[in-house]
Amino acid sequence: MKRTKYILIVFFIFIFILGLYKPVPAEKTEYLMDTIITISAYGTGAKKATELAFSEIERIDGLLNAFDENSEISKINQNAPYGFYKTTPEVYELIKKAVYISEKTSGAFDITLLPISSLWQIGSESPKVPEANEIKNALFSVGYKNIIFDDESHSIKFAVSGMGIDLGGIAKGYASEKATNILKENGIKNAILDLGGNISVIGRQPLDLVSAVKSGSFYRPFNVGIQDPDGVRGSYKHVYTAESDCFIITSGSYERNFSKDGILYHHIIDPKTGYPALSGVKSATIITDDGTTGDALSTAAFVLGEDSKELILGLCNKVIYIK
Ligand code: ADP
Ligand code: MG
């Protein structure tokens, strides 16, 4: 009798301890690429892998930040107006990919908007509404077709004066893809990355014991909330259940903006007008296996609005517009 009681007590303590079991991810948040970046990775080696992924993001930021005069993209902007500039194969391929998306989206995505975004300075401390003639003049220097490529030497030259490249609409997607690869190469099977609206999902979310017993599985798919453009940060309009590895990327007018005389000006520019895009949507979300393309596509889908659905769906798995 005494023995049974003893066994029962041990059994309940065991169950209690198991009940406390909760898979804890290695989690890290940093402000990089002008946004808040969080990586949560589970399993053995997750801490090390997360550190390596962050180093990769830092490396990419160092290459692609147009506002850092020592970055590779700034070197292109400084030299390509005067003739062919030989860049790294990595940056060359990324620029080619960006131009490919421009071609596929009838120029709605265009990395040569730098002369226009420099006028607006949206996201800076002193954004301003440019004069109409300033925009008109700057538009002469915009156009992805004016980037001249030399594949053999991976060199780039600008055909028109005043040109400049800004990879702000694709760089975070590229970084999220590279960081995802680093985690996978380091054996991570379950993780979620958030690079300011660029979400990447690896595998599924490990569950605590109580939830695992309830659901009959130790894992469940990651649920990714899609921001309500009119709500406070963290309030969701949709929840996307990621059944497999994918990127979920949102571009929205709520991200960076300012108001002047009652008008809201945001950071996604329509290359045809030089003004913030007015396509009737407040955000566009892309779900895809290709994080780099997905980032560019979310910007293009925002610029083009709902009418672009068929075109965009030709280049990704799913698109969600929020009006
Ligand atoms: P976020 O940076 O908020 O994730 P996006 O991915 O849509 O949003 O990228 C917006 C950034 O891309 C802008 O801050 C600007 O640097 C650049 N950009 C703005 N409009 C365009 C456009 N039509 N095509 C390409 N890049 C753009
Ligand atoms: Mg984008």
Side-chain angles (χ1 to χ4, degrees):
M1 191 59 194
K2 222 175 178 183
R3 195 158 169 249
T4 319
K5 201 170 155 191
Y6 178 70
I7 290 171
L8 269 176
I9 289 171
V10 171
F11 177 73
F12 281 117
I13 290 176
F14 181 66
I15 292 292
F16 179 73
I17 291 171
L18 276 184
L20 289 182
Y21 168 76
K22 206 173 176 224
V24 182
E27 191 167 282
K28 187 172 172 174
T29 299
E30 261 190 55
Y31 194 85
L32 273 172
M33 302 188 90
D34 212 14
T35 195
I36 298 166
I37 299 184
T38 300
I39 299 180
S40 306
Y42 295 84
T44 322
K47 190 163 187 291
K48 173 90 193 301
T50 302
E51 294 293 343
L52 291 171
F54 266 103
S55 306
E56 178 66 353
I57 296 168
E58 251 174 83
R59 183 188 72 82
I60 292 167
D61 190 22
L63 281 179
L64 306 183
N65 184 353
F67 302 99
D68 166 4
E69 60 176 30
N70 297 314
S71 69
E72 184 56 23
I73 203 69
S74 291
K75 286 186 189 143
I76 294 175
N77 287 335
Q78 289 151 15
N79 293 291
Y82 310 106
F84 274 110
Y85 172 76
K86 184 177 165 75
T87 184
T88 65
E90 180 184 17
V91 173
Y92 186 79
E93 287 311 321
L94 183 61
I95 292 174
K96 281 212 103 169
K97 196 162 197 175
V99 167
Y100 174 77
I101 305 296
S102 302
E103 284 162 356
K104 291 284 174 190
T105 59
S106 23
F109 182 77
D110 193 326
I111 55 170
T112 66
L113 276 169
L114 189 64
I116 295 286
S117 36
S118 309
L119 291 177
W120 288 94
Q121 292 178 37
I122 296 172
S124 79
E125 273 169 23
S126 47
K128 62 183 182 89
V129 182
E131 300 291 332
N133 72 324
E134 287 181 296
I135 291 186
K136 198 172 152 223
N137 290 337
L139 276 177
F140 284 115
S141 304
V142 172
Y144 66 92
K145 289 181 183 154
N146 293 322
I147 305 175
I148 316 287
F149 292 97
D150 180 50
D151 286 349
E152 213 137 279
S153 61
H154 36 86
S155 300
I156 279 170
K157 137 175 132 170
F158 297 155
V160 172
S161 70
M163 280 180 71
I165 289 178
D166 163 23
L167 294 174
I170 195 169
K172 280 185 283 170
Y174 180 64
S176 75
E177 197 168 326
K178 297 288 276 183
T180 300
N181 291 343
I182 296 273
L183 292 180
K184 287 184 176 176
E185 282 158 25
N186 282 276
I188 300 304
K189 302 266 187 295
N190 308 95
I192 185 158
L193 301 81
D194 182 353
L195 286 78
N198 287 61
I199 312 277
S200 168
V201 165
I202 303 175
R204 291 179 303 154
Q205 182 168 17
L207 294 177
D208 60 68
L209 199 78
V210 175
S211 311
V213 169
K214 270 192 203 157
S215 66
S217 167
F218 281 99
Y219 298 91
R220 71 162 162 76
F222 280 109
N223 284 319
V224 177
I226 297 170
Q227 176 68 36
D228 175 357
D230 299 314
V232 292
R233 195 166 282 271
S235 57
Y236 301 131
K237 192 89 179 173
H238 296 284
V239 174
Y240 180 75
T241 302
E243 298 290 352
S244 57
D245 294 6
C246 63
F247 296 88
I248 301 134
I249 304 152
T250 302
S251 284
S253 49
Y254 55 86
E255 276 292 346
R256 282 163 228 259
N257 53 47
F258 73 101
S259 288
K260 181 132 195 277
D261 302 329
I263 302 172
L264 184 88
Y265 298 97
H266 61 77
H267 70 316
I268 304 172
I269 306 289
D270 183 344
K272 293 208 159 59
T273 64
Y275 283 83
L278 283 173
S279 62
V281 298
K282 288 181 176 161
S283 77
T285 299
I286 302 291
I287 293 145
T288 175
D289 307 329
D290 176 344
T292 309
T293 302
D295 191 11
L297 278 184
S298 71
T299 308
F302 182 95
V303 171
L304 295 169
E306 276 189 309
D307 289 349
S308 67
K309 190 164 188 173
E310 214 169 299
L311 185 156
I312 298 291
L313 275 178
L315 298 158
C316 66
N317 301 339
K318 192 175 162 78
V319 55
I320 300 167
Y321 300 93
I322 299 179
K323 285 210 260 187

